[in-house]
Amino acid sequence: MSDVIYQAQPPLEFIPPALNPLFLRFVHLFLPSWMRWKTAIADVEADKVEILVDLYRQFQDGKIRFMLAFRHPKVDDPFCLGYLLSQLVPKVARYQGTILESPIHAHFIYDRGIPLWAGSHVGWIASNLGGTPIQRGKADWTGLRSARELFVNGKFPMAAAPEGATNGLSEFISPLEPGIAQLSFWCAEDLQKAQRSEQVLIVPVGIKYSYVEAPWEAIATLLSELEADSGLPVQGNNPSFESLYPRLLNVAEHLMSLMEKFYTRFYHQKLPDIKIVEGQDRNEALAARLQAMLNIILQVPEQYFDLHPIGNLTDRCRRVEQAGWNYIFREEFKDVKKLSAVEKGLGDRIAEEANLRMWHMRLVESFVAVTGKYIQEKPTAERFAETTLLLWDMVTRIKGSNPFKRPQLGKQKARITIGEPISVSERYPVYKATRQGARQSVTELTKDLQQAMEKM
């Protein structure tokens, strides 16, 4: 995490997209080698790539504009999408005899906060690849105008994750945010105003990860680490689901108890009365306690920033994040030389306090998609590993270490599925008819996109 967020700063500057064709060519050339070297991804496979080939042909012929709405379970997703577009789409096009202009690429929308924790160089890379940033927790009109302009006039199609953030789970989709649907209707509106005939589409893209070999031994080792860090006796390293699952539940229940005591004692939060019925399934009891705990954790920064707990956990996290940015990135710090040493010091204290309060929100952010039944419904090594890694994220944050340096439990392969395009243009007449029709159209399109992604 960058030290910049411990000090008051000028407002976050917009990073304009500045596509660099030479840099894009370099990235496409070295992406396969880089993925093998730097990630756990050993292979990327894709289904229904011919749909994308046809869409790019129509896009290059000036017949359509489209948005790739992709699943976002983990931080490796952009690399997989880059591989899909730069390697697999051209390969299938050649096989079909379809002529496409090179390069095959997509402009994309990314969170403006990423360069803060990943480094400013990431902002440079994103800009030179034609990406445009957005601040998630507010009406970022500069970011929205840039995304809207690229959607209508960009050299390439658009790509964005409608979930808004990673959730760590390959087989569970978080509730989609309405921004993708709204941008798509704006694109249809702008095309009509310009008297252009292109049709607007949204293309659902599924991404699912699986291990080349089930990493039970690595999971057992990681569980031993979590047991030691949590103060539990380290159990034997028998690498089987039957022996590991009770250990995972023990770690989760123990961490839950520690966090409940921590927040009730030191932050004066009150836990709701959760009645545990004798003989109740441990997963159900754990899920109920988790939801209650996430709520009281989030109340800590909400109370500090004077925010009302409105909406689901994801909505609340976004508002806390933006409130924190507002305390750290401040208009009066545009010219630090005009500030006295005391004013600068007070600003730094507020920034440091805001960052500490946002830490609580980050704990919640990691668990917004956890239901307690994810492994129970489908006891695979993949689901077990994903849940264990989420617990590792939590423990690592509590220890004050870097949660972005996740351990790799084994080599993985990614499977990408291209869904059937959803026509936005067909829905546009209802959208433009009335304000109520516009709101309803955005809601229905978001719902249909969610269903389409869940089917994949």
Side-chain angles (χ1 to χ4, degrees):
M1 185 69 72
S2 171
D3 288 338
V4 71
I5 57 177
Y6 295 99
Q7 297 177 324
Q9 301 288 319
L12 281 174
E13 293 184 355
F14 176 71
I15 305 173
L19 181 66
N20 184 328
L22 288 178
F23 181 65
L24 176 61
R25 186 177 178 183
F26 171 84
V27 169
H28 281 185
L29 182 64
F30 288 98
L31 181 61
S33 299
W34 189 91
M35 287 175 63
R36 288 192 295 270
W37 177 42
K38 282 289 188 179
T39 76
I41 301 170
D43 189 27
V44 179
E45 301 174 343
D47 297 324
K48 301 183 178 179
V49 180
E50 62 274 8
I51 293 176
L52 267 189
V53 172
D54 183 58
L55 289 171
Y56 268 93
R57 179 188 60 79
Q58 293 185 66
F59 180 91
Q60 293 179 358
D61 288 344
K63 295 179 180 179
I64 63 171
R65 309 293 298 184
F66 67 90
M67 168 79 76
L68 294 168
F70 63 90
R71 272 248 45 217
H72 201 14
K74 56 190 290 186
V75 294
D76 291 338
D77 304 336
F79 309 131
C80 295
L81 286 171
Y83 188 91
L84 167 70
L85 298 181
S86 65
Q87 312 295 319
L88 301 183
V89 170
K91 180 179 179 180
V92 172
R94 287 193 298 269
Y95 178 80
Q96 291 182 340
T98 302
I99 298 175
L100 295 178
E101 295 178 16
S102 184
I104 303 299
H105 185 54
H107 296 289
F108 55 94
I109 302 170
Y110 66 97
D111 173 21
R112 178 60 181 86
I114 291 176
L116 297 179
W117 58 261
S120 58
H121 66 283
V122 174
W124 183 91
I125 291 172
S127 174
N128 281 263
L129 290 177
T132 189
I134 195 82
Q135 291 190 50
R136 298 181 296 180
K138 70 172 188 177
D140 180 5
W141 297 114
T142 302
L144 288 171
R145 279 193 296 269
S146 176
R148 187 169 178 171
E149 168 64 21
L150 283 176
F151 203 167
V152 176
N153 296 313
K155 183 178 180 180
F156 303 108
M158 292 293 290
E163 291 169 279
T166 59
N167 68 6
L169 306 175
S170 275
E171 296 183 286
F172 184 89
I173 299 179
S174 300
L176 303 189
E177 297 180 359
I180 299 302
Q182 182 61 73
L183 272 175
S184 301
F185 280 119
W186 281 343
C187 182
E189 181 180 54
D190 293 341
L191 290 171
Q192 186 182 74
K193 288 180 179 178
Q195 297 183 337
R196 289 165 53 181
S197 61
E198 296 104 308
Q199 298 293 295
V200 181
L201 306 172
I202 296 179
V203 185
V205 179
I207 303 178
K208 182 180 177 182
Y209 297 91
S210 60
Y211 286 94
V212 176
E213 295 181 4
W216 292 114
E217 290 188 6
I219 292 173
T221 301
L222 187 60
L223 268 177
S224 296
E225 178 185 324
L226 292 174
E227 288 167 338
D229 285 339
S230 305
L232 288 171
V234 177
Q235 304 298 313
N237 272 1
N238 181 7
S240 67
F241 177 86
E242 290 73 21
S243 64
L244 294 178
Y245 192 52
R247 292 175 60 188
L248 179 66
L249 289 176
N250 287 339
V251 170
E253 290 169 343
H254 183 64
L255 284 172
M256 196 80 67
S257 297
L258 291 176
M259 298 304 287
E260 287 169 346
K261 292 176 183 176
F262 176 72
Y263 279 95
T264 53
R265 178 181 177 185
F266 295 106
Y267 289 94
H268 318 296
Q269 300 298 314
K270 183 175 176 57
L271 281 167
D273 292 328
I274 300 175
K275 295 182 179 179
I276 306 298
V277 181
E278 186 176 350
Q280 183 180 11
D281 180 76
R282 289 177 72 183
N283 289 279
E284 292 181 4
L286 197 58
R289 291 175 65 190
L290 175 63
Q291 290 305 306
M293 189 186 74
L294 294 179
N295 182 58
I296 69 165
I297 292 176
L298 205 48
Q299 286 176 2
V300 171
E302 285 175 336
Q303 290 168 359
Y304 175 76
F305 291 120
D306 194 25
L307 299 172
H308 296 292
I310 300 172
N312 60 34
L313 291 174
T314 300
D315 296 334
R316 293 166 64 187
C317 284
R318 294 290 71 75
R319 281 197 296 276
V320 168
E321 181 179 57
Q322 190 55 50
W325 292 155
N326 291 343
Y327 276 35
I328 297 169
F329 301 98
R330 294 162 55 184
E331 193 70 27
E332 59 265 42
F333 277 74
K334 277 187 173 180
D335 189 351
V336 180
K337 294 179 181 179
K338 291 183 178 180
L339 299 175
S340 68
V342 171
E343 288 172 318
K344 177 68 168 60
L346 290 174
D348 289 346
R349 298 293 78 74
I350 289 297
E352 186 175 12
E353 183 74 21
N355 182 61
L356 289 172
R357 299 293 174 166
M358 291 167 71
W359 177 88
H360 301 279
M361 179 272 293
R362 298 299 178 200
L363 287 181
V364 175
E365 197 174 39
S366 299
F367 284 87
V368 292
V370 176
T371 63
K373 299 180 180 179
Y374 189 62
I375 298 176
Q376 193 179 35
E377 290 172 345
K378 191 177 178 182
T380 61
E382 284 74 20
R383 291 194 175 201
F384 202 114
E386 288 172 346
T387 304
T388 307
L389 285 170
L390 287 178
L391 286 176
W392 180 90
D393 289 346
M394 179 183 186
V395 170
T396 301
R397 285 188 185 278
I398 293 172
K399 289 163 56 180
S401 302
N402 187 351
F404 301 107
K405 294 183 178 180
R406 269 186 162 196
Q408 294 184 1
L409 301 182
K411 288 294 182 181
Q412 290 183 294
K413 57 183 178 182
R415 176 167 290 278
I416 302 174
T417 304
I418 312 302
E420 291 297 325
I422 301 172
S423 175
V424 179
S425 296
E426 290 179 359
R427 302 164 184 247
Y428 181 67
V430 176
Y431 170 87
K432 73 173 183 177
T434 63
R435 285 188 178 181
Q436 183 178 356
R439 288 193 294 268
Q440 187 65 27
S441 294
V442 170
T443 300
E444 290 181 357
L445 179 54
T446 303
K447 179 182 177 182
D448 290 346
L449 178 59
Q450 175 106 30
Q451 291 175 347
M453 298 182 78
E454 287 173 349
K455 287 179 181 178
M456 293 191 296

